[in-house]
Amino acid sequence: MGSSGTPDPRKPKISLASGFLPPPRSTAKWTVESMGVSAAVSPSPSNSSFPCSPQSFILILEFVDKENMTQVLGRISAFSEGKVGKGKKSEAAAGETSKGYFGHNFPLTVLEDFVQVHGGGGEGGKERGCGDGLTDGERDLLGICRKQELMGKGEGKGGGGGGGSKKGGGGRGRCLAASAYLIAYLKNDYATKQHELRHARFFLDEGYRSACLEAWARLSEKQKKYVSSFLSRLGYHEDVHVDEFQAFHLTEKANFWGIKVDVAWPASVVEGE
């Protein structure tokens, strides 16, 4: 906490559980932490009968090698980017495994949707012709998320970690997943870890997200155009430019953009830096 009592936006505060992935990826460590937020994610209208928890959670995965990280998270990240229209669309559309990624981040609602499409047990997968099953690494990840109650238990086959019942899924399960976020990075790559944590904060913390949008709005039109072009060249869709801008600007060196970009960050964003 800073002197004002604002949660440190860079990292979670309370470790709730930890462990390692099953062999052959047993060197990969996972940790579940609660994240202090100024305002939690709101439930969608269809889930209004299941109020979301005022708490938010983050699942942190630390891998020793990139190959294992890609095996567990590559397809899910590619699915996420293609589904929401962000990132490198061609890679996502081709179903490639994000081999060039040194970090991953996505809300657990993405994992739920991925399982529906690729798990092989749901009608969604059959309709799209994508019910090709989950890999062992994906099933291991799903099992951790369900055991730690970060998402609903789901239904049908191919879900890894057991079938479950309707009580564990549906609106309540969706709301659990909407309040949880996953990040992954390689061991000792703390710069990437901080970058991914910024994405988690942007998604989970409505107050933090609003402050970042406010800072973006204060940039000159010339600066906005320059930064957007810069991010587009990196392959990011315009829908995520503000999110990527705050994550890069707050974790990279001042010369990252190639020009000086003055940002009037609210105290709630830079507190704890």
Side-chain angles (χ1 to χ4, degrees), residues 77 85 111 211 255:
S77 283
L111 178 57
N255 62 354

Side-chain angles (χ1 to χ4, degrees), residues 52-53 57 108-109 112 149-152 168 171-181:
C52 287
S53 168
F57 302 94
L108 290 190
T109 49
E112 283 194 329
E149 298 185 343
L150 298 176
M151 55 189 289
R172 181 176 180 276
R174 189 70 174 178
C175 208
L176 286 172
S179 299
Y181 203 89

Side-chain angles (χ1 to χ4, degrees), residues 51 61 68 100 141 158:
L61 296 171
N68 277 336
L141 172 63

Side-chain angles (χ1 to χ4, degrees), residues 22 25 72 76 111 114-115 119 132-146 158-162:
R25 286 167 284 273
V72 176
I76 306 170
L111 178 57
F114 180 84
V115 171
D132 50 358
L134 303 180
T135 66
D136 289 343
E138 291 162 355
R139 282 193 293 271
D140 291 340
L141 172 63
L142 182 60
I144 291 170
C145 291
R146 287 176 170 171

Side-chain angles (χ1 to χ4, degrees), residues 62-63 102-103 185-195:
E62 180 185 86
F63 288 85
F102 287 88
Y185 64 99
L186 295 175
K187 187 175 182 179
N188 297 324
D189 186 358
Y190 298 111
T192 296
K193 180 181 181 181
Q194 294 305 320
H195 179 99

Side-chain angles (χ1 to χ4, degrees), residues 226-227 230 233 249 252-261:
Y226 177 88
V227 171
F230 186 101
R233 289 195 298 274
H249 195 90
E252 295 289 342
K253 295 180 179 179
N255 62 354
F256 174 78
W257 303 108
I259 65 169
K260 184 178 181 180
V261 179

